[in-house]
Amino acid sequence: MADYHFDELAEKAGVVNRASSPALSPAEAEQAMRKMSFRFSITDGYLTEKGGQFDYVFDFASGTWERNDWRSGVPVVSKGKLAPGAEEAFVKEASFLLTLPQTHFVTNTKSMEVNTDAYEREKYGPIKRYTRCELRMGRVFCRWVAEKDVDSPFGQLFHALQALRRSID
């Protein structure tokens, strides 16, 4: 994956964050996240049973979610209300992201590699496809490979998103 400097590209495109203080305090971050709508896209890795490509839109202000399931090639849209407590647990675990001054967290990690394990090669094929994640939350953009990028903020963020995803699946 190429190395992108999204803040510079956005500035060249005329999209500029004019906020005087982009990083929020922890209390402000939790409040902002409770009013927020955000998008999470995931392409499940080769070890995920019934995996595929999914796009989620979580709207905490209205307490709803929407999922586009792309496994058949045509999006199958599901909608519903968030489970009680799911929003609060996610806000507690992931609001730290809005307290950071950095707006883009993108890794260059490859999401595919040659499968060298003989058993896995026989069972899953010659290529290992890892879970790719992309998150757009307000001014924050993240892209990472879940199995490989476990450092901050990706590990904690993926754990919170998995719990939120489990609450609706």
Side-chain angles (χ1 to χ4, degrees):
M1 188 150 106
D3 185 18
Y4 296 105
H5 301 282
F6 287 97
D7 291 329
E8 293 171 17
L9 292 172
E11 192 172 324
K12 287 178 184 176
V15 180
V16 181
N17 183 5
R18 302 239 185 255
S20 58
S21 175
L24 302 173
S25 71
E28 290 172 329
E30 285 188 14
Q31 279 186 331
M33 193 172 278
R34 285 187 181 95
K35 299 175 188 171
M36 188 174 280
S37 175
F38 66 93
R39 178 175 295 276
F40 172 60
S41 300
I42 185 167
T43 303
D44 289 319
Y46 75 110
L47 293 176
T48 306
E49 187 177 347
K50 298 181 184 174
Q53 182 176 349
F54 299 92
D55 294 321
Y56 295 90
V57 176
F58 296 100
D59 187 353
F60 286 166
S62 64
T64 60
W65 59 268
E66 178 181 318
R67 176 184 57 219
N68 293 319
D69 179 350
W70 290 88
R71 288 181 287 190
S72 66
V74 176
V76 177
V77 179
S78 309
K79 297 180 181 186
K81 289 277 192 191
L82 287 169
E87 173 188 343
E88 190 61 34
F90 181 80
V91 167
K92 290 281 185 211
E93 199 164 343
S95 62
F96 76 94
L97 199 59
L98 300 179
T99 65
L100 303 173
Q102 186 175 344
T103 59
H104 290 84
F105 302 87
V106 179
T107 66
N108 290 332
T109 308
K110 293 185 178 177
S111 61
M112 287 191 264
E113 64 182 31
V114 175
N115 199 343
T116 57
D117 182 277
Y119 173 75
E120 285 188 1
R121 187 178 182 91
E122 183 69 29
K123 187 172 181 180
Y124 302 114
I127 304 294
K128 284 185 183 180
R129 289 176 182 81
Y130 294 113
T131 302
R132 293 178 304 178
C133 303
E134 190 171 294
L135 174 74
R136 290 180 179 87
M137 179 184 291
R139 63 180 180 79
V140 177
F141 175 78
C142 302
R143 183 185 298 144
W144 74 99
V145 176
E147 292 90 348
K148 300 268 188 161
D149 301 318
V150 293
D151 55 338
S152 181
F154 304 116
Q156 185 177 355
L157 185 57
F158 186 64
H159 183 270
L161 286 163
Q162 277 183 311
L164 189 59
R165 189 178 176 199
R166 275 192 303 270
S167 73
I168 65 170
D169 284 343

